[in-house]
Amino acid sequence: MVSGGAQGASLKAVVFDLDDTLLPEWQYVRSAYGAVARHVYRDPPRAQEARDWLWSRFLRGEHSGALNALLERAGRGEEEVGPLLEVYRAHLPAVRLNAGVRRTLSDLRGAGLKLGVISDGPLITQQRKVEALGLGDWVDEIRLTDAWGRDYWKPHARAYQDLSERWGLTGPELAYVGDNLAKDFIAPQALGWRTVCLRRRRQVHAARRAGPGGAAQVTVHSWAALDALLRSWQGE
Ligand SMILES: [Mg+2]
């Protein structure tokens, strides 16, 4: 290890957030709109039309109330919103890792870094995303916090501590990459990890403000810049 690194230890492992970090949320939402539209309209052309309608609504900035709006448009009762939410959450999303993400993960792993994922959200939903993306082939460890219950969603430290122990690594040997200043960085900052906020266009939580201890140390705006930053930390 070369001394003089700002934080005293070289990087050995990188842990990523899933939603709006590895997987742009808008890509997931678009897929989910297709699933709920096909559930409400059995006729494929009408389902397609309804999906496009939901999507144009989203592009106008209407990110909530989609399921109620869809039911109303179809003349269906709002009591169907519960089952429709299940369809939304449990569908196998038509998503894949973007080229820049694949390139970075492959480069980091090839350089000998351990890779992990920590993600909140309803368990079935996150499991389906992991399945659709084939994430198990890209990273070494995945922690879906909902498997322990909602109390363990970020900012709870359990998943971060779990990976730290799993790999026998601590503090600045680990980095967390996420997008949500309200919850992603609180635990890893407290544990002395390095933290990076990835800012991309159209992120759902980009406007969130950091609370005490919630800011990331560094912000980057592309996967290439992230890759270069992490490799430089590895070389410290
Ligand atoms: Mg996120």
Side-chain angles (χ1 to χ4, degrees), residues 16-213:
F16 295 89
D17 168 54
L18 178 53
D19 296 333
D20 253 349
T21 299
L22 292 176
L23 174 63
E25 181 70 10
W26 68 264
Q27 291 182 4
Y28 176 78
V29 170
R30 201 171 144 84
S31 170
Y33 282 173
V36 293
R38 286 190 297 276
H39 185 81
V40 170
Y41 295 95
R42 302 290 170 165
D43 174 49
R46 296 188 70 197
Q48 176 72 33
E49 195 188 342
R51 199 278 302 260
D52 292 346
W53 179 78
L54 284 173
W55 185 240
S56 64
R57 191 178 167 280
F58 183 88
L59 291 178
R60 284 196 306 271
E62 294 177 58
H63 294 173
S64 60
L67 303 189
N68 281 308
L70 176 64
L71 289 171
E72 190 183 334
R73 179 183 191 269
R76 307 268 286 262
E78 61 184 23
E79 70 280 1
E80 291 183 58
V81 74
L84 200 54
L85 181 59
E86 285 307 305
V87 170
Y88 185 105
R89 287 182 169 170
H91 91 288
L92 182 64
V95 291
R96 61 194 302 254
L97 291 176
N98 295 329
V101 181
R102 296 201 305 271
R103 207 157 33 234
T104 296
L105 294 181
S106 161
D107 179 62
L108 296 176
R109 212 174 193 189
L113 290 164
K114 293 281 188 199
L115 301 183
V117 169
I118 294 176
S119 176
D120 293 337
L123 187 58
I124 182 67
T125 305
Q126 303 313 93
Q127 285 172 331
R128 293 297 217 157
K129 290 174 187 171
V130 166
E131 181 184 347
L133 296 172
L135 262 191
D137 294 332
W138 290 91
V139 303
D140 303 288
E141 300 288 339
I142 298 172
R143 295 294 180 274
L144 302 179
T145 55
D146 202 42
W148 296 317
R150 195 166 182 130
D151 287 350
Y152 295 97
W153 287 22
K154 295 176 270 187
H156 199 284
R158 179 171 174 173
Y160 301 87
Q161 287 167 326
D162 194 46
L163 288 183
S164 175
E165 284 164 25
R166 173 85 180 84
W167 289 326
L169 300 173
T170 57
E173 293 178 317
L174 298 124
Y176 192 73
V177 180
D179 69 291
N180 190 335
L181 297 178
K183 66 175 186 174
D184 280 345
F185 306 111
I186 295 168
Q189 291 277 39
L191 293 167
W193 294 24
R194 305 170 193 252
T195 51
V196 186
C197 180
L198 179 68
R199 271 285 156 264
R200 307 287 285 155
R201 283 188 308 128
R202 295 200 208 164
Q203 281 174 325
V204 175
H205 298 297
R208 289 196 186 244
R209 307 285 290 272

